[in-house]
Amino acid sequence: MVEKAIKRIYTALLFIFLYAPIGILIIYSFNESKSRGSWGGFTLKWYSELFKDEKIMTSLYYTIAIAIISSIVATIIGTLAAIGIHKMKPISKQIIMNINYLPVLNPDIVTGVALMTLFMFMNLELGFLSMLLAHITFNIPYVVLAVLPKLRQLNKYLSEAAMDLGATPFYAFRKVVLPEIMPGVISGALIAFTLSIDDFVISFFTAGSGVSNLSITIFSMARRGIKPTINALSTIMFLSVLILLLLINKKSLKEAKKK
Amino acid sequence: MKRVLKLLVTFVLIISIGMVGTGCGSKNNNKKVLNVYNWGDYIDESVLEEFEKEYGIKVIYDNFATNEEMYIKIKSGGTSYDVAFPSDYMIEKMIKEGLLQKIDYNNIENYKYISDNLKKLDFDPTSEYSVPYFWGTVGILYNKTMVKEPVDSWNILWDSKYKGKILMIDSQRDSIGVALKKLGYSMNSTDPKQLEEAKSELMKQKPLVLSYVGDEGKDMMIGEEAAMSVVWSGDAVYTMSENENLAYAIPKEGTNYWFDSVVIPKTSKHKKEAELFINFLCRPEIAQKNAEYVGYSTPNKETMKKLDPKLVKNKALYPNEELMKNSEVFRDLGDSIKLYDTIWTEVKSK
């Protein structure tokens, strides 16, 4: 009995630590006063100001555009790469996997500066394209790592059987292999998407004039003080993710019931 | 599966259409554009629109948070900003390294409005590279209900009466500078012996300090969590407007006064437009808009006449010469900055 209570308290504490900061942020997005030190009454003005703030809106646009494009491209390249790696001989597989791990373990700042130097070397003007390429680059290894385990679970002879039945290799891949590894591909794409939205360091070094994502914009406010409009923006983003999760959960619950 | 694909394709299409509309402006060199690199939230953005309308030049506006960040971006040369707003010591460093262009003052007739005593300062002794944008001081913000004695010296930050009620600024040049000034040395000291003394002062002070703060310090002072804090003057003016128990003082030992100035980097491709923009910023009405929005001290003497007299009389914003007598501008320390780095790391880690 006591043990159960302790467990519950422990879980509750855990969630309080995780969610209290977000809760505070949401509360302060309705604060009339600009300061976090005092409560000035309820207001929605930060929300209306948010949509009027061109700087934040373009950053949001770039953030989402880059996150979507880079995660799609990285998922395609990463999935193909994973299939290739999966079919390799053990020794070369080991080598390639180690090379794949390196960007994952490497500090962001090294990747950021390295990419910037590369782009300068190639005479590519820093801007949207360079930032997009950088995001695709750092997303690919994560997709590979998400897809590989699914490939390992796959029955080796499945695609051979399909081809024996007359499927072309591409048709077999599309109809047999891809649906089987889909959960891995989707989780890879989601990781890529989140990482891309989240990234500051690499984006900072590879962004050019006129192109900045949310993390750069918010960080640059740090010296003068983060505007409460950012609280409003974060609230909206948090709620949209929450709603999305709820919808997905509901859908999978329904599907589970059907089975 | 198919539906997902369709959705994705529409997304990509929408994005690429948007791209044509907004993103590619910077690539087109024939169209008149101006790339501005400024501190976050450091301009009244309506000023940018006004400039665009008046001259038909598109402004691409980016932000940075520290001088060092801006320096990396400009030095690497991957982006070509036409106008940037570094602070004093960084301007000196950039001049030394040849990263800045000389400004043609014939194109900036509004330069005459800048106060003469803010021209030809140590970091740009001939005033060929920079036009002051804002300036300010570092001082002590204190809560009148908690601190009864007069605040006129840095020594009060070492008073054990206020144990756990003192906030220091989380900035190595500023905090070490405060300790140096307390000891009566220059804030630009590179003498290892003096710096060693400053370090032991900071170590002595450490048990009294509640925390080393950045932006959150403002809220802690408004919320009356601390009795005093080392702050920049603009922050002082803002916090005092939020909580009337707060007051600001510049210690008699002197302090640092700093400048954020407008410069044109070597990599700029639109020097004409850049000079137009600088001239525009020096226009008294425009400088007034910015000063009212940003809250720091304007170097523009015409603007000062237009501002609310209460602001101009505010000694936190526009200190008199008596107060500024012992004060200094930060200089580029060259390699000695490493000494500051180690001292600050040691102070903060122990």
Side-chain angles (χ1 to χ4, degrees):
Chain A
M1 199 51 211
V2 179
E3 201 184 332
K4 207 174 178 185
I6 290 177
K7 267 186 197 163
R8 284 222 175 124
I9 292 172
Y10 177 74
T11 328
L13 274 178
L14 197 82
F15 279 99
I16 288 174
F17 276 120
L18 282 177
Y19 284 93
I22 299 175
I24 298 281
L25 180 138
I26 292 176
I27 293 170
Y28 276 111
S29 74
F30 299 109
N31 185 5
E32 172 82 39
S33 149
K34 201 178 171 185
S35 140
R36 273 152 290 171
S38 59
W39 177 258
F42 180 85
T43 178
L44 285 172
K45 74 172 171 195
W46 303 120
Y47 287 87
S48 62
E49 256 179 48
L50 169 67
F51 292 105
K52 276 186 234 147
D53 192 323
E54 208 182 312
K55 182 102 197 99
I56 295 177
M57 289 325 269
T58 39
S59 312
L60 178 67
Y61 168 74
Y62 279 123
T63 307
I64 292 181
I66 286 191
I68 291 177
I69 302 178
S70 76
S71 60
I72 291 174
V73 177
T75 309
I76 296 170
I77 299 177
T79 309
L80 296 179
I83 293 170
I85 292 170
H86 183 63
K87 299 237 163 102
M88 277 178 180
K89 282 183 196 132
I91 294 176
S92 38
K93 191 173 173 179
Q94 197 54 50
I95 294 170
I96 296 285
M97 277 317 284
N98 281 335
I99 294 175
N100 187 57
Y101 275 124
L102 210 57
V104 175
L105 299 174
N106 212 8
D108 274 2
I109 191 149
V110 178
T111 314
V113 174
L115 282 168
M116 179 180 77
T117 325
L118 175 73
F119 294 143
M120 312 288 315
F121 177 74
M122 295 184 341
N123 257 336
L124 178 74
E125 199 181 332
L126 296 182
F128 185 81
L129 185 65
S130 62
M131 194 152 133
L132 180 66
L133 286 176
H135 278 236
I136 293 172
T137 313
F138 77 74
N139 275 337
I140 290 175
Y142 292 93
V143 177
V144 173
L145 287 177
V147 175
L148 265 183
K150 278 281 152 199
L151 281 169
R152 250 178 251 134
Q153 288 167 17
L154 196 70
N155 189 326
K156 265 197 272 186
Y157 304 110
L158 216 53
S159 54
E160 279 179 29
M163 284 188 273
D164 282 344
L165 291 171
T168 60
F170 183 66
Y171 192 78
F173 166 73
R174 205 155 55 94
K175 287 287 176 184
V176 179
V177 179
L178 198 57
E180 284 293 313
I181 60 171
M182 211 50 192
V185 175
I186 289 176
S187 60
L190 286 179
I191 295 174
F193 186 78
T194 340
L195 282 173
S196 168
I197 286 199
D198 203 36
D199 174 75
F200 167 70
V201 180
I202 296 174
S203 309
F204 173 73
F205 284 107
T206 52
S209 58
V211 183
S212 70
N213 63 6
L214 274 179
S215 47
I216 298 176
T217 308
I218 296 174
F219 187 78
S220 67
M221 288 178 185
R223 192 182 83 142
R224 292 259 300 137
I226 310 280
K227 283 196 221 163
T229 40
I230 296 298
N231 294 351
L233 177 68
S234 313
T235 307
I236 293 174
M237 284 171 88
F238 175 73
L239 287 181
S240 13
V241 173
L242 189 71
I243 292 168
L244 208 71
L245 271 180
L246 288 178
L247 285 179
I248 291 173
N249 274 346
K250 208 176 160 195
K251 207 180 157 198
S252 54
L253 264 182
K254 255 189 200 164
E255 272 166 19
K257 263 185 199 161
K258 263 186 210 161
K259 277 176 191 168
Chain B
M1 188 60 206
K2 261 193 185 153
R3 223 191 285 158
V4 175
L5 264 179
K6 262 187 205 161
L7 254 177
L8 284 182
V9 171
T10 9
F11 255 135
V12 174
L13 270 179
I14 291 171
I15 285 165
S16 25
I17 290 166
M19 226 57 272
V20 177
T22 57
C24 300
S26 58
K27 288 217 176 102
N28 194 341
N29 282 332
N30 306 324
K31 209 178 141 197
K32 280 189 178 175
V33 288
L34 180 76
N35 295 293
V36 180
Y37 207 23
N38 195 357
W39 300 86
D41 203 22
Y42 210 43
I43 197 167
D44 182 340
E45 300 212 0
S46 70
V47 163
L48 298 176
E49 281 163 35
E50 240 175 85
F51 178 76
E52 286 185 329
K53 249 192 229 153
E54 193 170 326
Y55 293 99
I57 295 168
K58 176 150 181 51
V59 177
I60 296 170
Y61 187 70
D62 280 336
N63 292 152
F64 59 86
T66 63
N67 277 307
E68 286 65 27
E69 222 175 88
M70 176 231 43
Y71 168 77
I72 290 171
K73 288 293 265 215
I74 286 181
K75 180 151 193 184
S76 75
T79 51
S80 57
Y81 287 107
D82 303 310
V83 175
F85 295 73
S87 312
D88 34 56
Y89 70 96
M90 191 48 81
I91 295 171
E92 186 175 359
K93 185 172 163 130
M94 290 172 93
I95 293 173
K96 267 189 212 161
E97 296 181 14
L99 295 175
L100 301 182
Q101 293 191 27
K102 281 189 183 169
I103 296 172
D104 184 354
Y105 284 94
N106 294 326
N107 296 332
I108 304 179
E109 54 172 35
N110 292 337
Y111 189 61
K112 60 176 184 258
Y113 297 128
I114 305 286
S115 303
D116 292 320
N117 56 345
L118 303 178
K119 292 174 183 169
K120 300 199 173 161
L121 291 154
D122 290 345
F123 57 89
D124 183 8
T126 47
S127 258
E128 286 176 295
Y129 295 94
S130 64
V131 175
Y133 179 58
F134 277 115
W135 67 282
T137 55
V138 178
I140 302 175
L141 178 74
Y142 61 99
N143 191 315
K144 284 180 275 186
T145 58
M146 297 185 203
V147 184
K148 294 290 180 206
E149 60 200 295
V151 178
D152 62 352
S153 157
W154 292 115
N155 284 322
I156 196 163
L157 293 170
W158 272 260
D159 190 335
S160 53
K161 245 193 305 189
Y162 302 107
K163 187 169 187 215
K165 294 255 174 219
I166 296 170
L167 297 177
M168 285 295 277
I169 213 164
D170 188 7
S171 147
Q172 60 184 41
R173 283 292 308 260
D174 289 299
S175 286
I176 296 171
V178 164
L180 284 169
K181 267 286 175 220
K182 175 186 184 262
L183 293 165
Y185 301 136
S186 158
M187 280 188 148
N188 294 310
S189 169
T190 52
D191 179 351
K193 237 193 200 159
Q194 294 180 357
L195 284 170
E196 195 57 39
E197 279 179 58
K199 182 177 115 183
S200 57
E201 282 296 321
L202 287 172
M203 289 296 202
K204 242 197 288 171
Q205 185 204 22
K206 202 173 175 191
L208 311 178
V209 174
L210 176 61
S211 73
Y212 296 89
V213 293
D215 169 49
E216 72 275 17
K218 288 186 260 178
D219 290 323
M220 292 171 85
M221 287 305 290
I222 294 170
E224 312 208 330
E225 283 173 55
M228 56 182 110
S229 171
V230 177
V231 296
W232 287 296
S233 50
D235 289 349
V237 172
Y238 160 70
T239 45
M240 287 191 292
S241 72
E242 292 282 323
N243 183 337
E244 51 190 32
N245 289 334
L246 299 176
Y248 179 77
I250 296 174
K252 59 175 188 275
E253 295 94 344
T255 183
N256 155 249
Y257 62 116
W258 51 261
F259 289 84
D260 291 330
S261 302
V262 203
V263 300
I264 306 179
K266 265 265 158 65
T267 46
S268 159
K269 288 177 195 145
H270 311 96
K271 194 174 179 218
K272 266 229 168 78
E273 286 79 7
E275 284 170 346
L276 269 179
F277 186 66
I278 296 174
N279 193 36
F280 184 75
L281 286 180
C282 292
R283 210 184 273 177
E285 310 85 69
I286 300 297
Q288 182 190 359
K289 264 194 183 173
N290 284 331
E292 277 162 4
Y293 178 82
V294 175
Y296 280 104
S297 324
T298 179
N300 196 311
K301 53 191 176 197
E302 271 308 300
T303 306
M304 277 174 70
K305 288 180 199 157
K306 291 168 188 271
L307 283 173
D308 183 354
K310 245 197 249 156
L311 272 179
V312 182
K313 272 190 206 136
N314 189 335
K315 279 202 181 131
L317 272 179
Y318 299 99
N320 55 26
E321 271 170 40
E322 177 66 27
L323 279 170
M324 300 304 290
K325 199 173 54 193
N326 299 318
S327 300
E328 307 162 78
V329 182
F330 279 152
R331 304 291 304 272
D332 175 33
L333 298 175
D335 275 346
S336 299
I337 194 72
K338 284 180 197 146
L339 258 172
Y340 280 70
D341 286 339
T342 36
I343 289 177
W344 190 236
T345 320
E346 276 179 52
V347 168
K348 282 196 64 180
S349 62
K350 265 178 200 161

